Amino acid sequence: MSTTPAESTPVPGQAHIPPPRRQLSPFRHWLLKGIVDERGQHQGPHGQAPERTHPWWQVMCLTGVDYFSTLGYQPAIAALAAGLVSPFATLVLVALTLLGALPVYRRVARESFKGSGSIAMLERLLPWWAGKLFVLVLLGFAATDFMITITLSAADATAHAIENPFAPAWFQGNQVGITLFLLALLGAVFLKGFREAIGIAVILVAVYLALNVVVIAVSLGEVFTHASTITDWWAALTTAHGDPLIIVGIALLVFPRLALGLSGFETGVAVMPQIKGDPDDDPNYPKGRIRGAGRLLSTAAIIMSVFLITSSLVTTLLIPQKDFQPGGPANGRALAYLAHEYLGNGFGTVYDISTILILWFAGASAMAGLLNLVPRYLPRYGMAPQWSRAVRPLVLVFTAIAFIITLVFRANVDAQGGAYATGVLVLITSASVAVTLSARRKRQRNRTIAFSVISLVFIYTTIDNMIERPDGLRIASLFILGILVISLISRVGRSFQLRATSVTLDISALDFVLEDAEEGEIRIISHEPDVDTDKEYAQKNKDERRFSHIPQRSRTIFLEVYPSDSSDFEEDLVVEGVVKHGYRVLKVSSGNVPNTIAAVLLEIRDVTGVVPTIYFEWTEGNPISNMFRFLITGVGEVAPVTREVLREAEKDVKRRPAVHVS
């Protein structure tokens, strides 16, 4: 048996993380920069842990470029959906924001403080393959939410640019081209880097909200100056709908169409790692960071609620209903319409520029959300290529998808509203269900009842939205189907990869292998840990020595893999050394037997300098059915798969552990 010097002095109980095995070209190195943690603990832009954190109100602005920017189109969409009833429908939205979504996400922030959001809570509650598949479906809706945020915001930014009276004439009719340019610019920013995001967000949000305060204050002054606008609106409302109860009923029925006003909550918990906590925060439960997240969510919800109510009121009272229709001057830009109407084209242009910038940067916030979610789940599940941990390849993929969506919808804001609302509502509904299950598991009766009621409201709202606007569900289904297909192909394609992100030999295990290494041979017998008797181990040792021609005086070590969650792809392996019935045994738990055996063999080689040999029995049964068993349960044709994993991982035959089957 050939030997090689050990790479380093082994340290008992210390995890060994496999080093990268090949050099990359300069372009691939630049493209894949950001894969700094193979275990996926630090995700988000460029895969880095935050170098420095920020006060909660600054991080709120990063969320706010998505949440607050909906003021650019929310009042117009509300007026188009609810007509004269828009202010009442908006009151329903605000009530559900403050009494429903806010308490739900404050609890999500307490239980998922690492930025994983409600999806991680459900993942913990639903283990094994059911949990993985459910997460993939939720990721499809999350992708719908964030991707449509990017394309819809860019399209609305374009609409504001085109409608500005000082816009060049060639802007007219070029909505798609301008939107594609904004999307390309967004992609270029993320390819370069995103370090100053929070500083830019603070400036954009402060200026944008200040300008909105001016527009709404002037508009309210116009309403009070011309009191007839209120009486005319009320007369038209009662004439059209009669009984006040009918008005309330209509407000409740059309509320789901206004769900865009709930878009900022999932992003709010996703950015929690950026929030500065207390100096003495416990990493396992950082109270300061959680408290800051609660303030972020509450403050953002209150600010947005005030703007939603006042903007809906002034736009409904001061803008003719016909102007909200597609092609009308207020379609998708109601507050901008009022800015030009009552403050002049100069101020209106400043408002348009501010709106364009924050809508464009809302796409940046959504892109950051996608870059936080995808690397956190899919590579860890083995359901995406390893390069999907890096930011730049994902940016190129997401930008290409945004281009396709924009071309399909012709950069139309109204046409994308249904898909946006569907993604937002499904995520909020899943969060409501997650906190309900959490409260029930902790036997908190009153909270379980309260969260159950909130969940039922959001479930109704989501279903109603899907029935009313099935295009949103169709788009989300395409995202889900795409994720499932890519996940299946990737999982199969990566079946023969090493899956261990680290391998740790405890003191006893290290003693076993070092003791045999001194003799120049390490012989491992693979043993299925089903029967724990003296007779079982004695017979196994006798059979392997006989059929594999192991010399009687040669020392052997049993290796046993205890099955765990087979749906997990990447694992940190801990190898324990124990003595059973007089035989030395290496024990390790894993959901994937052959890949784990290969990783342990390579680790033994690396820490001892001796290339080990492993001995198997042939697996009974049909090879094809055994292969399917391996893909789903992690067991099956163990011997040939172990050999193939080793062949893929180590190209040098002399350094590759030998596999014997008898």
mmCIF file of all heavy atoms in Angstrom, residues 50-60 113 198 268 271-282 286-296:
data_model
loop_
_atom_site.group_PDB
_atom_site.id
_atom_site.type_symbol
_atom_site.label_atom_id
_atom_site.label_comp_id
_atom_site.label_asym_id
_atom_site.label_seq_id
_atom_site.Cartn_x
_atom_site.Cartn_y
_atom_site.Cartn_z
ATOM 1 N N PRO A 50 -21.482 40.311 7.620
ATOM 2 C CA PRO A 50 -21.404 41.774 7.673
ATOM 3 C C PRO A 50 -20.146 42.238 8.389
ATOM 4 O O PRO A 50 -19.874 41.811 9.512
ATOM 5 C CB PRO A 50 -22.670 42.155 8.472
ATOM 6 C CG PRO A 50 -23.594 40.992 8.315
ATOM 7 C CD PRO A 50 -22.721 39.795 8.207
ATOM 8 N N GLU A 51 -19.349 43.087 7.718
ATOM 9 C CA GLU A 51 -18.128 43.577 8.332
ATOM 10 C C GLU A 51 -18.453 44.486 9.514
ATOM 11 O O GLU A 51 -17.767 44.503 10.518
ATOM 12 C CB GLU A 51 -17.292 44.332 7.290
ATOM 13 C CG GLU A 51 -16.781 43.412 6.184
ATOM 14 C CD GLU A 51 -15.969 44.178 5.170
ATOM 15 O OE1 GLU A 51 -15.818 45.404 5.340
ATOM 16 O OE2 GLU A 51 -15.487 43.558 4.216
ATOM 17 N N ARG A 52 -19.519 45.244 9.387
ATOM 18 C CA ARG A 52 -19.976 46.066 10.503
ATOM 19 C C ARG A 52 -21.484 46.194 10.417
ATOM 20 O O ARG A 52 -22.057 46.198 9.328
ATOM 21 C CB ARG A 52 -19.307 47.450 10.492
ATOM 22 C CG ARG A 52 -19.669 48.324 9.317
ATOM 23 C CD ARG A 52 -18.837 49.588 9.328
ATOM 24 N NE ARG A 52 -19.220 50.504 8.262
ATOM 25 C CZ ARG A 52 -20.105 51.491 8.414
ATOM 26 N NH1 ARG A 52 -20.701 51.673 9.576
ATOM 27 N NH2 ARG A 52 -20.399 52.293 7.408
ATOM 28 N N THR A 53 -22.101 46.266 11.554
ATOM 29 C CA THR A 53 -23.548 46.360 11.599
ATOM 30 C C THR A 53 -23.963 47.823 11.730
ATOM 31 O O THR A 53 -23.120 48.711 11.892
ATOM 32 C CB THR A 53 -24.095 45.533 12.761
ATOM 33 O OG1 THR A 53 -23.402 45.905 13.968
ATOM 34 C CG2 THR A 53 -23.870 44.040 12.506
ATOM 35 N N HIS A 54 -25.262 48.062 11.686
ATOM 36 C CA HIS A 54 -25.776 49.429 11.633
ATOM 37 C C HIS A 54 -26.957 49.584 12.584
ATOM 38 O O HIS A 54 -27.629 48.601 12.913
ATOM 39 C CB HIS A 54 -26.222 49.768 10.210
ATOM 40 C CG HIS A 54 -25.178 49.522 9.157
ATOM 41 N ND1 HIS A 54 -24.302 50.484 8.729
ATOM 42 C CD2 HIS A 54 -24.862 48.395 8.470
ATOM 43 C CE1 HIS A 54 -23.493 49.973 7.811
ATOM 44 N NE2 HIS A 54 -23.816 48.708 7.643
ATOM 45 N N PRO A 55 -27.245 50.817 13.020
ATOM 46 C CA PRO A 55 -28.441 51.042 13.838
ATOM 47 C C PRO A 55 -29.700 50.585 13.093
ATOM 48 O O PRO A 55 -29.751 50.627 11.861
ATOM 49 C CB PRO A 55 -28.439 52.558 14.048
ATOM 50 C CG PRO A 55 -27.015 52.972 13.858
ATOM 51 C CD PRO A 55 -26.456 52.045 12.824
ATOM 52 N N TRP A 56 -30.705 50.191 13.850
ATOM 53 C CA TRP A 56 -31.898 49.606 13.238
ATOM 54 C C TRP A 56 -32.583 50.557 12.259
ATOM 55 O O TRP A 56 -33.131 50.118 11.247
ATOM 56 C CB TRP A 56 -32.885 49.170 14.323
ATOM 57 C CG TRP A 56 -33.456 50.309 15.140
ATOM 58 C CD1 TRP A 56 -32.988 50.782 16.322
ATOM 59 C CD2 TRP A 56 -34.591 51.119 14.807
ATOM 60 N NE1 TRP A 56 -33.745 51.843 16.762
ATOM 61 C CE2 TRP A 56 -34.745 52.056 15.855
ATOM 62 C CE3 TRP A 56 -35.481 51.146 13.743
ATOM 63 C CZ2 TRP A 56 -35.763 53.010 15.859
ATOM 64 C CZ3 TRP A 56 -36.499 52.099 13.734
ATOM 65 C CH2 TRP A 56 -36.643 53.011 14.778
ATOM 66 N N TRP A 57 -32.547 51.878 12.553
ATOM 67 C CA TRP A 57 -33.262 52.812 11.683
ATOM 68 C C TRP A 57 -32.567 52.930 10.322
ATOM 69 O O TRP A 57 -33.232 53.193 9.306
ATOM 70 C CB TRP A 57 -33.397 54.183 12.349
ATOM 71 C CG TRP A 57 -32.087 54.840 12.701
ATOM 72 C CD1 TRP A 57 -31.391 54.739 13.866
ATOM 73 C CD2 TRP A 57 -31.321 55.706 11.853
ATOM 74 N NE1 TRP A 57 -30.230 55.476 13.807
ATOM 75 C CE2 TRP A 57 -30.172 56.093 12.598
ATOM 76 C CE3 TRP A 57 -31.494 56.204 10.565
ATOM 77 C CZ2 TRP A 57 -29.199 56.937 12.066
ATOM 78 C CZ3 TRP A 57 -30.526 57.053 10.037
ATOM 79 C CH2 TRP A 57 -29.397 57.411 10.791
ATOM 80 N N GLN A 58 -31.245 52.738 10.287
ATOM 81 C CA GLN A 58 -30.561 52.743 9.000
ATOM 82 C C GLN A 58 -30.895 51.484 8.198
ATOM 83 O O GLN A 58 -31.116 51.546 6.991
ATOM 84 C CB GLN A 58 -29.047 52.845 9.212
ATOM 85 C CG GLN A 58 -28.588 54.183 9.766
ATOM 86 C CD GLN A 58 -27.072 54.278 9.879
ATOM 87 O OE1 GLN A 58 -26.354 53.319 9.627
ATOM 88 N NE2 GLN A 58 -26.583 55.442 10.289
ATOM 89 N N VAL A 59 -30.932 50.351 8.877
ATOM 90 C CA VAL A 59 -31.292 49.113 8.196
ATOM 91 C C VAL A 59 -32.745 49.177 7.725
ATOM 92 O O VAL A 59 -33.100 48.611 6.685
ATOM 93 C CB VAL A 59 -31.065 47.905 9.122
ATOM 94 C CG1 VAL A 59 -31.411 46.606 8.408
ATOM 95 C CG2 VAL A 59 -29.621 47.867 9.598
ATOM 96 N N MET A 60 -33.595 49.874 8.489
ATOM 97 C CA MET A 60 -34.984 50.060 8.065
ATOM 98 C C MET A 60 -35.055 50.737 6.698
ATOM 99 O O MET A 60 -35.935 50.438 5.881
ATOM 100 C CB MET A 60 -35.751 50.898 9.094
ATOM 101 C CG MET A 60 -37.226 51.109 8.751
ATOM 102 S SD MET A 60 -38.034 52.300 9.837
ATOM 103 C CE MET A 60 -37.291 53.841 9.265
ATOM 104 N N PHE A 113 -33.672 34.825 13.878
ATOM 105 C CA PHE A 113 -32.914 36.073 13.940
ATOM 106 C C PHE A 113 -31.660 36.071 13.077
ATOM 107 O O PHE A 113 -30.944 37.063 13.032
ATOM 108 C CB PHE A 113 -32.529 36.383 15.391
ATOM 109 C CG PHE A 113 -31.924 35.224 16.121
ATOM 110 C CD1 PHE A 113 -30.590 34.901 15.951
ATOM 111 C CD2 PHE A 113 -32.688 34.447 16.963
ATOM 112 C CE1 PHE A 113 -30.024 33.834 16.616
ATOM 113 C CE2 PHE A 113 -32.129 33.371 17.637
ATOM 114 C CZ PHE A 113 -30.797 33.059 17.467
ATOM 115 N N ILE A 198 -26.586 50.492 2.378
ATOM 116 C CA ILE A 198 -27.354 51.109 3.459
ATOM 117 C C ILE A 198 -27.212 52.625 3.427
ATOM 118 O O ILE A 198 -28.191 53.356 3.609
ATOM 119 C CB ILE A 198 -26.912 50.528 4.818
ATOM 120 C CG1 ILE A 198 -27.403 49.073 4.927
ATOM 121 C CG2 ILE A 198 -27.452 51.356 5.973
ATOM 122 C CD1 ILE A 198 -27.069 48.403 6.228
ATOM 123 N N GLY A 268 -37.821 42.703 5.752
ATOM 124 C CA GLY A 268 -37.425 43.240 7.053
ATOM 125 C C GLY A 268 -36.719 42.231 7.935
ATOM 126 O O GLY A 268 -35.751 42.568 8.633
ATOM 127 N N VAL A 271 -32.992 41.089 6.526
ATOM 128 C CA VAL A 271 -31.821 41.948 6.731
ATOM 129 C C VAL A 271 -31.406 42.029 8.196
ATOM 130 O O VAL A 271 -30.541 42.828 8.551
ATOM 131 C CB VAL A 271 -32.092 43.376 6.190
ATOM 132 C CG1 VAL A 271 -32.353 43.343 4.702
ATOM 133 C CG2 VAL A 271 -33.256 44.035 6.918
ATOM 134 N N MET A 272 -31.956 41.184 9.055
ATOM 135 C CA MET A 272 -31.636 41.247 10.485
ATOM 136 C C MET A 272 -30.140 41.147 10.808
ATOM 137 O O MET A 272 -29.671 41.799 11.745
ATOM 138 C CB MET A 272 -32.405 40.169 11.247
ATOM 139 C CG MET A 272 -33.826 40.550 11.575
ATOM 140 S SD MET A 272 -34.610 39.365 12.706
ATOM 141 C CE MET A 272 -33.670 39.603 14.210
ATOM 142 N N PRO A 273 -29.347 40.330 10.077
ATOM 143 C CA PRO A 273 -27.919 40.272 10.409
ATOM 144 C C PRO A 273 -27.203 41.618 10.287
ATOM 145 O O PRO A 273 -26.099 41.774 10.834
ATOM 146 C CB PRO A 273 -27.370 39.264 9.393
ATOM 147 C CG PRO A 273 -28.536 38.384 9.068
ATOM 148 C CD PRO A 273 -29.719 39.310 9.081
ATOM 149 N N GLN A 274 -27.812 42.581 9.591
ATOM 150 C CA GLN A 274 -27.186 43.890 9.445
ATOM 151 C C GLN A 274 -27.443 44.801 10.646
ATOM 152 O O GLN A 274 -26.836 45.859 10.768
ATOM 153 C CB GLN A 274 -27.730 44.586 8.182
ATOM 154 C CG GLN A 274 -27.436 43.870 6.883
ATOM 155 C CD GLN A 274 -25.996 44.027 6.445
ATOM 156 O OE1 GLN A 274 -25.289 44.899 6.946
ATOM 157 N NE2 GLN A 274 -25.552 43.194 5.523
ATOM 158 N N ILE A 275 -28.354 44.412 11.547
ATOM 159 C CA ILE A 275 -28.751 45.279 12.656
ATOM 160 C C ILE A 275 -27.744 45.178 13.804
ATOM 161 O O ILE A 275 -27.362 44.082 14.212
ATOM 162 C CB ILE A 275 -30.164 44.901 13.158
ATOM 163 C CG1 ILE A 275 -31.192 45.095 12.040
ATOM 164 C CG2 ILE A 275 -30.557 45.738 14.371
ATOM 165 C CD1 ILE A 275 -32.587 44.617 12.397
ATOM 166 N N LYS A 276 -27.343 46.305 14.321
ATOM 167 C CA LYS A 276 -26.407 46.345 15.450
ATOM 168 C C LYS A 276 -27.134 45.948 16.729
ATOM 169 O O LYS A 276 -28.183 46.493 17.057
ATOM 170 C CB LYS A 276 -25.814 47.746 15.592
ATOM 171 C CG LYS A 276 -24.810 47.880 16.734
ATOM 172 C CD LYS A 276 -24.308 49.304 16.854
ATOM 173 C CE LYS A 276 -23.493 49.704 15.642
ATOM 174 N NZ LYS A 276 -22.928 51.064 15.785
ATOM 175 N N GLY A 277 -26.574 44.980 17.443
ATOM 176 C CA GLY A 277 -27.157 44.540 18.704
ATOM 177 C C GLY A 277 -26.440 45.155 19.889
ATOM 178 O O GLY A 277 -25.696 46.132 19.767
ATOM 179 N N ASP A 278 -26.661 44.590 21.059
ATOM 180 C CA ASP A 278 -25.971 45.034 22.264
ATOM 181 C C ASP A 278 -24.569 44.429 22.311
ATOM 182 O O ASP A 278 -24.335 43.342 21.768
ATOM 183 C CB ASP A 278 -26.751 44.602 23.505
ATOM 184 C CG ASP A 278 -28.120 45.279 23.594
ATOM 185 O OD1 ASP A 278 -28.256 46.376 23.022
ATOM 186 O OD2 ASP A 278 -29.030 44.700 24.221
ATOM 187 N N PRO A 279 -23.630 45.112 22.975
ATOM 188 C CA PRO A 279 -22.265 44.557 23.058
ATOM 189 C C PRO A 279 -22.213 43.174 23.709
ATOM 190 O O PRO A 279 -21.336 42.376 23.386
ATOM 191 C CB PRO A 279 -21.519 45.604 23.912
ATOM 192 C CG PRO A 279 -22.306 46.865 23.747
ATOM 193 C CD PRO A 279 -23.726 46.443 23.588
ATOM 194 N N ASP A 280 -23.123 42.904 24.632
ATOM 195 C CA ASP A 280 -23.110 41.616 25.332
ATOM 196 C C ASP A 280 -24.127 40.632 24.762
ATOM 197 O O ASP A 280 -24.527 39.688 25.439
ATOM 198 C CB ASP A 280 -23.381 41.827 26.821
ATOM 199 C CG ASP A 280 -24.718 42.520 27.087
ATOM 200 O OD1 ASP A 280 -25.313 43.051 26.111
ATOM 201 O OD2 ASP A 280 -25.171 42.526 28.246
ATOM 202 N N ASP A 281 -24.545 40.817 23.523
ATOM 203 C CA ASP A 281 -25.514 39.919 22.900
ATOM 204 C C ASP A 281 -24.990 38.488 22.853
ATOM 205 O O ASP A 281 -23.831 38.246 22.499
ATOM 206 C CB ASP A 281 -25.837 40.377 21.473
ATOM 207 C CG ASP A 281 -27.108 41.214 21.423
ATOM 208 O OD1 ASP A 281 -27.762 41.351 22.460
ATOM 209 O OD2 ASP A 281 -27.444 41.719 20.330
ATOM 210 N N ASP A 282 -25.844 37.549 23.204
ATOM 211 C CA ASP A 282 -25.537 36.132 23.070
ATOM 212 C C ASP A 282 -25.794 35.718 21.622
ATOM 213 O O ASP A 282 -26.904 35.899 21.122
ATOM 214 C CB ASP A 282 -26.436 35.323 24.015
ATOM 215 C CG ASP A 282 -26.179 33.821 23.931
ATOM 216 O OD1 ASP A 282 -25.315 33.397 23.132
ATOM 217 O OD2 ASP A 282 -26.856 33.072 24.662
ATOM 218 N N PRO A 286 -29.539 36.822 20.318
ATOM 219 C CA PRO A 286 -29.096 38.219 20.449
ATOM 220 C C PRO A 286 -30.270 39.164 20.744
ATOM 221 O O PRO A 286 -30.939 39.658 19.840
ATOM 222 C CB PRO A 286 -28.488 38.514 19.069
ATOM 223 C CG PRO A 286 -29.216 37.598 18.135
ATOM 224 C CD PRO A 286 -29.536 36.359 18.919
ATOM 225 N N LYS A 287 -30.505 39.428 22.019
ATOM 226 C CA LYS A 287 -31.668 40.230 22.421
ATOM 227 C C LYS A 287 -31.632 41.639 21.831
ATOM 228 O O LYS A 287 -32.658 42.191 21.442
ATOM 229 C CB LYS A 287 -31.745 40.296 23.946
ATOM 230 C CG LYS A 287 -32.061 38.963 24.606
ATOM 231 C CD LYS A 287 -32.168 39.122 26.122
ATOM 232 C CE LYS A 287 -32.508 37.786 26.798
ATOM 233 N NZ LYS A 287 -32.590 37.926 28.271
ATOM 234 N N GLY A 288 -30.436 42.223 21.771
ATOM 235 C CA GLY A 288 -30.333 43.573 21.224
ATOM 236 C C GLY A 288 -30.717 43.632 19.757
ATOM 237 O O GLY A 288 -31.446 44.536 19.331
ATOM 238 N N ARG A 289 -30.246 42.670 18.982
ATOM 239 C CA ARG A 289 -30.586 42.624 17.557
ATOM 240 C C ARG A 289 -32.079 42.356 17.364
ATOM 241 O O ARG A 289 -32.718 42.962 16.504
ATOM 242 C CB ARG A 289 -29.757 41.551 16.858
ATOM 243 C CG ARG A 289 -30.110 41.357 15.397
ATOM 244 C CD ARG A 289 -29.108 40.452 14.719
ATOM 245 N NE ARG A 289 -27.784 41.062 14.722
ATOM 246 C CZ ARG A 289 -26.674 40.440 14.372
ATOM 247 N NH1 ARG A 289 -26.715 39.172 14.020
ATOM 248 N NH2 ARG A 289 -25.511 41.070 14.378
ATOM 249 N N ILE A 290 -32.632 41.463 18.161
ATOM 250 C CA ILE A 290 -34.060 41.155 18.056
ATOM 251 C C ILE A 290 -34.893 42.385 18.414
ATOM 252 O O ILE A 290 -35.890 42.691 17.753
ATOM 253 C CB ILE A 290 -34.405 39.958 18.962
ATOM 254 C CG1 ILE A 290 -33.740 38.685 18.426
ATOM 255 C CG2 ILE A 290 -35.908 39.771 19.061
ATOM 256 C CD1 ILE A 290 -33.831 37.503 19.360
ATOM 257 N N ARG A 291 -34.481 43.097 19.465
ATOM 258 C CA ARG A 291 -35.191 44.320 19.847
ATOM 259 C C ARG A 291 -35.121 45.361 18.730
ATOM 260 O O ARG A 291 -36.119 46.028 18.413
ATOM 261 C CB ARG A 291 -34.592 44.878 21.139
ATOM 262 C CG ARG A 291 -35.324 46.090 21.676
ATOM 263 C CD ARG A 291 -34.808 46.483 23.055
ATOM 264 N NE ARG A 291 -33.378 46.789 23.047
ATOM 265 C CZ ARG A 291 -32.438 46.021 23.592
ATOM 266 N NH1 ARG A 291 -32.769 44.886 24.175
ATOM 267 N NH2 ARG A 291 -31.168 46.371 23.541
ATOM 268 N N GLY A 292 -33.946 45.488 18.115
ATOM 269 C CA GLY A 292 -33.817 46.423 16.992
ATOM 270 C C GLY A 292 -34.694 46.034 15.819
ATOM 271 O O GLY A 292 -35.290 46.903 15.165
ATOM 272 N N ALA A 293 -34.794 44.729 15.547
ATOM 273 C CA ALA A 293 -35.659 44.272 14.455
ATOM 274 C C ALA A 293 -37.117 44.583 14.746
ATOM 275 O O ALA A 293 -37.881 44.960 13.845
ATOM 276 C CB ALA A 293 -35.465 42.773 14.230
ATOM 277 N N GLY A 294 -37.510 44.428 16.024
ATOM 278 C CA GLY A 294 -38.888 44.772 16.392
ATOM 279 C C GLY A 294 -39.171 46.246 16.164
ATOM 280 O O GLY A 294 -40.246 46.620 15.661
ATOM 281 N N ARG A 295 -38.211 47.099 16.518
ATOM 282 C CA ARG A 295 -38.389 48.537 16.281
ATOM 283 C C ARG A 295 -38.438 48.842 14.790
ATOM 284 O O ARG A 295 -39.225 49.674 14.335
ATOM 285 C CB ARG A 295 -37.242 49.304 16.943
ATOM 286 C CG ARG A 295 -37.277 49.266 18.461
ATOM 287 C CD ARG A 295 -36.013 49.886 19.055
ATOM 288 N NE ARG A 295 -36.065 49.884 20.513
ATOM 289 C CZ ARG A 295 -35.037 50.208 21.290
ATOM 290 N NH1 ARG A 295 -33.870 50.558 20.736
ATOM 291 N NH2 ARG A 295 -35.156 50.200 22.609
ATOM 292 N N LEU A 296 -37.589 48.170 14.039
ATOM 293 C CA LEU A 296 -37.582 48.363 12.581
ATOM 294 C C LEU A 296 -38.951 48.037 11.987
ATOM 295 O O LEU A 296 -39.525 48.843 11.236
ATOM 296 C CB LEU A 296 -36.502 47.471 11.961
ATOM 297 C CG LEU A 296 -36.286 47.487 10.447
ATOM 298 C CD1 LEU A 296 -34.867 47.026 10.130
ATOM 299 C CD2 LEU A 296 -37.262 46.593 9.691
#
